[in-house]
Amino acid sequence: MKVYATARTAFKALRRNPMRAMLTTLGIVIGVGAVIAMMEIGAGASAALKKTIASMGANVLVIRPGTASSGGISFGAGTTTTLTPADCQAILRECPSLRNAAPMVRARAQVVYGNRNWIPNTIYGTTPAYLDVQDWGSLAEGEPFSDRDVLNGNRVCILGQTLVRELFDDESPLGKNIRIKNISFRVVGVLSAKGANMMGFDQDDVILAPWTTIKYRVSGTSLATTNQSPAATDSVNTLSNLYPTEQLALYPEQSNVQQADNPMPVRFANIDQIMAAANSSAEISPAIEEIGAVLRERHRLRAGEPDDFNIRDMAELTNTLSTTTRLMTNLLLAVAMISLLVGGVGIMNIMLVSVTERTREIGLRMAVGARGRDILRQFLVEAVVLCLTGGAMGIVLGHGGSLLVQLLLKWPVETSPAAIAAAVLVSAGVGIIFGFYPAWKASRLDPIEALRYE
Amino acid sequence: MELITLHGIEKTYQMGDIAVPVLKGISLAINQGELIALTGSSGSGKSTLMNILGCLDRPTAGEYWLEGQETSQLSADARALLRNRKLGFVFQSFNLLARTSALENVAMPLTYSTENLSDAETRKRAAEMLARVGLADRLNHHPAQLSGGQQQRVAIARALINRPPVLFADEPTGNLDSKTSEEVLQMFEQLNAEDGITIIMVTHDPKVAGHAKRVIRMEDGLILDTLPAADQRRETSGGAA
Ligand SMILES: Nc1ncnc2c1ncn2[C@@H]1O[C@H](COP(=O)(O)OP(=O)(O)OP(=O)(O)O)[C@@H](O)[C@H]1O
Ligand SMILES: [Mg+2]
């Protein structure tokens, strides 16, 4: 009630000189406007960044076999053959922090369709879970291959957009057969476009197929590590006749009927890596621990024995990128804060002028019974009202500005209620801080001298 | 009944090393319902005494009893409360808030009052007060739209809004011509007679002093004499003749 009355008095006092009030508050308007625009554009940028990171698989963990070494010579990461598809199933089953996991077999080979050919970046042998792990969303065309295809080692594949462009000239590849290392694959689906990732790696230059098919038919090896160099896996040059690089087919290929009659014997199959997705970014660390524990147990590692696998996540990359954007936003925010400071000094200046100008009024108010603290409150509230009005106008201005930026420059922008709340608090704070000294001065006036002031 | 009692009030201003005594021991008793004029030559200390009476200032020495309460030792806040409740002021230069309606000017002291009136009550009280001083049809006029006499009557209404028993007026007619002065003085007489408000006014004008029931003359920080108004009028007219 009292505060409301004081606020009304303050409004009336400000209305007596609206032009000056407007000009005084301009600093706050610009300052708050800049803060709001900065926050919204900053939030938009970091949201866009998060989306980009998510497209690379934000919560993805990569589990690779450890290093093989012989006689003190290390062969580099991924050179042992300790990971199996069963490991993949086990971690998915036993780690509650994981959303999904997919075994991965990589190959690099020439792909032929009609008279065209192309060597994709990678040919991944995997399970349908891979699409979920990578957040690949829905396919552009067709259906993903099924778990049954994986079990049966069916020759089906999903093409990335780059391959569609290179091999099919943008006609629909669905149902067509492509050849990878002379093995015919039916195209069952086309991935939606994902674009280049942050390292410039074309994420659409990829073929997905059941890992069993890639493992046993394309790579053609079961126990050796996949050699990923294209020259070793396939050749298109004329010397290939002289120096055959293909592995000899000792046995004739089985027909479908023969395959059905002779189910693939269970054998030890190693995979190149496992890709797993944590439920959320917060669950990445627990997921790493859980996976470590499960794999150590499965691989029968004694305490003290080093891991024969390693687990990596994208956290470092994510951190670096978000640190950079945060730094930029904070920098701009600091500049905006400085303009708020300047606005605050403007408020203080005008409030001091106002106190001097209204010395007689202050004297009069004291004569009719205002105490020092009543006067202090009146001028403080006046400064806060001034700042809050400026703040409100600044919010409108800043929001309008960021919308304009979005409209004209197509920058991503995100409305942030936190920024608006902060702006209100900050402008009230500026009013209190910079209004205090003038208000305090006013409250200390002597009524007789104030009344006599010319 | 004694409303105000002064006992040896002294006021000395310190100008650097030099002490300037302005009031040199004033003792005075004022009863409820009096209409007093305070006169004296310029610089005799009338305004200084009024400020002390109005609790705007504290005496250097002496006692000031207001309605049985010793006020000379009160804190600034306590004096503010006293001013709000018990004392009304009218100034030579009206001191109205510019670009603020008569009604709001009159209601202003209620903001600092301890009785929490609602908006409607505040407006009603202020309108009544303005009607009391004959400005019922000028509620929403701004000071710039009122004559000097009307402005002073708004100031009187403002001084009386908290229903104080005493009204102080330091040269209330100083800025007014003789006709409007007469209006204001009639207002004072009416308030004094009808509402029993004690009025103490400072004036240089013997005609103004003639409206008072009692005239106190000051000279050089001391009370020279206290006369019933009739004597004072006779004396001044005699002096002039
Ligand atoms: N704040 C002050 N500091 C020092 N001296 C003061 C102060 N206020 C008043 N005086 C002195 O006190 C004396 C009385 O002043 P005061 O205003 O009371 O006179 P007055 O009787 O009201 O005169 P006038 O009729 O001209 O209004 C003057 O000599 C003045 O110089
Ligand atoms: Mg005077």
Side-chain angles (χ1 to χ4, degrees):
Chain A
M1 173 65 202
K2 204 88 177 176
V3 172
Y4 168 70
T6 317
R8 219 175 33 176
T9 314
F11 261 118
K12 274 181 206 147
L14 292 174
R15 261 221 315 266
R16 274 189 265 158
N17 212 333
M19 188 63 192
R20 187 167 78 185
M22 275 292 300
L23 288 176
T24 309
T25 196
L26 203 59
I28 300 292
V29 173
I30 293 172
V32 168
V35 169
I36 292 286
M38 250 42 306
M39 299 274 265
E40 296 200 346
I41 293 170
S46 73
L49 188 75
K50 277 203 192 99
K51 228 193 268 168
T52 316
I53 292 171
S55 85
M56 294 163 60
N59 305 333
V60 168
L61 298 167
V62 180
I63 304 143
R64 306 191 64 190
T67 309
S69 65
S70 167
I73 297 165
S74 156
F75 297 126
T79 44
T80 55
T81 55
T82 50
L83 283 182
T84 65
D87 285 337
C88 178
Q89 281 159 13
I91 61 171
L92 184 56
R93 195 172 53 239
E94 287 168 35
C95 303
S97 304
L98 287 187
R99 190 180 76 220
N100 219 331
M104 307 278 294
V105 174
R106 276 173 302 173
R108 196 161 155 86
Q110 193 188 45
V111 180
V112 180
Y113 173 71
N115 60 352
R116 290 164 166 263
N117 69 79
W118 181 252
I119 299 179
N121 239 328
T122 26
I123 298 169
Y124 282 131
T126 182
T127 62
Y130 176 77
L131 291 174
D132 177 54
V133 169
Q134 283 282 6
D135 275 325
W136 214 304
S138 55
L139 295 184
E141 269 184 277
E143 296 285 326
F145 53 83
S146 63
D147 287 320
R148 180 163 294 275
D149 289 323
V150 177
L151 276 178
N152 294 343
N154 287 344
R155 290 167 303 178
V156 290
C157 69
I158 305 174
L159 296 188
Q161 290 285 345
T162 306
L163 278 125
V164 176
R165 198 172 60 241
E166 296 295 338
L167 295 179
F168 290 90
D169 252 340
D170 293 332
E171 71 179 272
S172 172
L174 280 191
K176 305 266 167 46
N177 283 305
I178 58 166
R179 298 173 75 77
I180 305 172
K181 270 178 104 181
N182 260 342
I183 299 156
S184 161
F185 281 78
R186 188 162 50 84
V187 178
V188 293
V190 176
L191 292 167
S192 52
K194 216 172 194 189
N197 73 4
M198 231 151 306
M199 276 82 86
F201 179 90
D202 181 4
Q203 297 180 95
D204 294 326
D205 194 7
V206 68
I207 296 181
L208 303 181
W211 71 266
T212 45
T213 322
I214 298 296
K215 181 87 192 162
Y216 301 122
R217 294 179 192 271
V218 177
S219 300
T221 56
S222 58
L223 285 168
T225 341
T226 319
N227 186 335
Q228 292 184 27
S229 100
T233 54
D234 202 351
S235 65
V236 285
N237 65 28
T238 49
L239 295 176
S240 56
N241 295 333
L242 286 174
Y243 305 106
T245 54
E246 273 185 52
Q247 271 147 341
L248 292 174
L250 292 177
Y251 307 102
E253 209 178 307
Q254 289 180 314
S255 74
N256 283 343
V257 178
Q258 281 174 314
Q259 272 178 10
D261 288 347
N262 303 292
M264 229 183 300
V266 179
R267 50 181 165 167
F268 178 79
N270 69 298
I271 51 177
D272 293 332
Q273 62 184 40
I274 297 171
M275 289 190 94
N279 287 324
S280 67
S281 50
E283 284 177 74
I284 287 179
S285 308
I288 290 175
E289 275 172 31
E290 289 164 15
I291 294 168
V294 170
L295 288 183
R296 283 188 72 86
E297 195 195 316
R298 283 183 60 82
H299 295 178
R300 300 200 166 74
L301 298 176
R302 270 180 236 106
E305 248 184 300
D307 288 347
D308 62 352
F309 55 88
N310 55 61
I311 306 168
R312 286 186 310 149
D313 63 359
M314 307 284 258
E316 239 167 275
L317 180 70
T318 317
N319 283 351
T320 315
L321 290 169
S322 49
T323 310
T324 316
T325 31
R326 211 175 314 132
L327 194 76
M328 281 311 289
T329 314
N330 286 352
L331 214 70
L332 292 170
L333 210 60
V335 173
M337 282 295 173
I338 289 172
S339 74
L340 263 183
L341 202 73
V342 174
V345 172
I347 295 270
M348 177 148 84
N349 188 12
I350 293 296
M351 288 309 290
L352 279 173
V353 170
S354 174
V355 166
T356 312
E357 244 183 30
R358 286 155 65 190
T359 301
R360 282 176 76 96
E361 179 190 328
I362 295 165
L364 171 75
R365 286 180 184 275
M366 286 178 158
V368 301
R371 292 163 300 178
R373 73 181 90 133
D374 294 320
I375 300 294
L376 181 85
R377 187 171 50 195
Q378 185 193 339
F379 278 86
L380 211 51
V381 167
E382 216 166 283
V384 170
V385 164
L386 206 59
C387 286
L388 280 181
T389 315
M393 281 165 29
I395 288 169
V396 172
L397 189 82
H399 190 61
S402 72
L403 286 184
L404 214 65
V405 160
Q406 185 177 33
L407 213 67
L408 298 182
L409 300 180
K410 304 272 183 285
W411 285 10
V413 158
E414 218 163 69
T415 315
S416 114
I420 290 172
V424 171
L425 285 183
V426 163
S427 44
V430 165
I432 289 171
I433 291 167
F434 290 96
F436 190 84
Y437 175 64
W440 177 80
K441 255 190 96 170
S443 75
R444 296 294 304 268
L445 284 175
D446 177 63
I448 299 166
E449 273 165 31
L451 276 169
R452 210 181 280 156
Y453 184 85
E454 288 305 318
Chain B
M1 182 194 140
E2 268 183 24
L3 184 71
I4 289 171
T5 314
L6 298 184
H7 262 302
I9 290 289
E10 288 176 24
K11 181 73 187 177
T12 306
Y13 286 109
Q14 203 67 37
M15 305 278 285
D17 291 342
I18 310 157
V20 184
V22 177
L23 299 180
K24 299 168 182 170
I26 290 192
S27 296
L28 186 65
I30 296 171
N31 288 322
Q32 202 158 22
E34 282 201 84
L35 175 53
I36 295 177
L38 195 59
T39 63
S41 58
S42 190
S44 56
K46 304 183 294 294
S47 297
T48 310
L49 181 60
M50 285 295 273
N51 288 341
I52 289 170
L53 283 172
C55 285
L56 286 166
D57 208 352
R58 280 155 76 160
T60 320
E63 286 172 20
Y64 170 16
W65 295 82
L66 174 68
E67 282 194 325
Q69 186 186 9
E70 218 290 300
T71 67
S72 59
Q73 302 304 322
L74 289 178
S75 71
D77 279 3
R79 276 183 290 136
L81 194 67
L82 212 59
R83 291 198 293 271
N84 187 255
R85 287 224 195 110
K86 297 189 175 170
L87 308 171
F89 288 94
V90 175
F91 306 92
Q92 178 175 353
S93 53
F94 322 139
N95 276 333
L96 297 177
L97 298 180
R99 272 170 276 184
T100 305
S101 72
L103 195 74
E104 283 169 4
N105 261 296
V106 171
M108 192 264 277
L110 287 175
T111 327
Y112 305 108
S113 149
T114 42
E115 46 178 331
N116 266 322
L117 293 182
S118 74
D119 261 18
E121 284 169 319
T122 302
R123 292 182 67 84
K124 188 165 158 270
R125 177 100 78 90
E128 275 170 15
M129 219 57 238
L130 277 169
R132 186 79 188 77
V133 298
L135 290 173
D137 53 347
R138 296 283 190 280
L139 299 187
N140 294 313
H141 283 57
H142 288 187
Q145 300 160 337
L146 294 170
S147 76
Q150 286 169 333
Q151 287 186 52
Q152 194 60 302
R153 280 188 281 158
V154 172
I156 293 168
R158 178 182 63 196
L160 297 177
I161 189 83
N162 275 320
R163 297 169 185 151
V166 205
L167 183 69
F168 297 102
D170 196 344
E171 304 192 32
T173 59
N175 284 6
L176 302 175
D177 60 32
S178 57
K179 188 171 163 290
T180 42
S181 293
E182 201 60 30
E183 276 174 38
V184 168
L185 288 166
Q186 269 165 18
M187 192 81 252
F188 278 166
E189 282 181 320
Q190 197 185 340
L191 288 168
N192 179 251
E194 291 173 12
D195 301 61
I197 294 170
T198 311
I199 297 175
I200 302 163
M201 57 181 174
V202 170
T203 183
H204 284 287
D205 189 340
K207 261 198 268 169
V208 174
H211 286 266
K213 294 176 187 165
R214 182 152 74 119
V215 178
I216 298 171
R217 282 206 298 179
M218 282 186 70
E219 187 67 64
D220 198 19
L222 287 168
I223 292 178
L224 188 66
D225 52 13
T226 303
L227 304 166
D231 298 351
Q232 202 256 353
R233 221 175 316 181
R234 191 192 58 217
E235 198 167 279
T236 36
S237 55

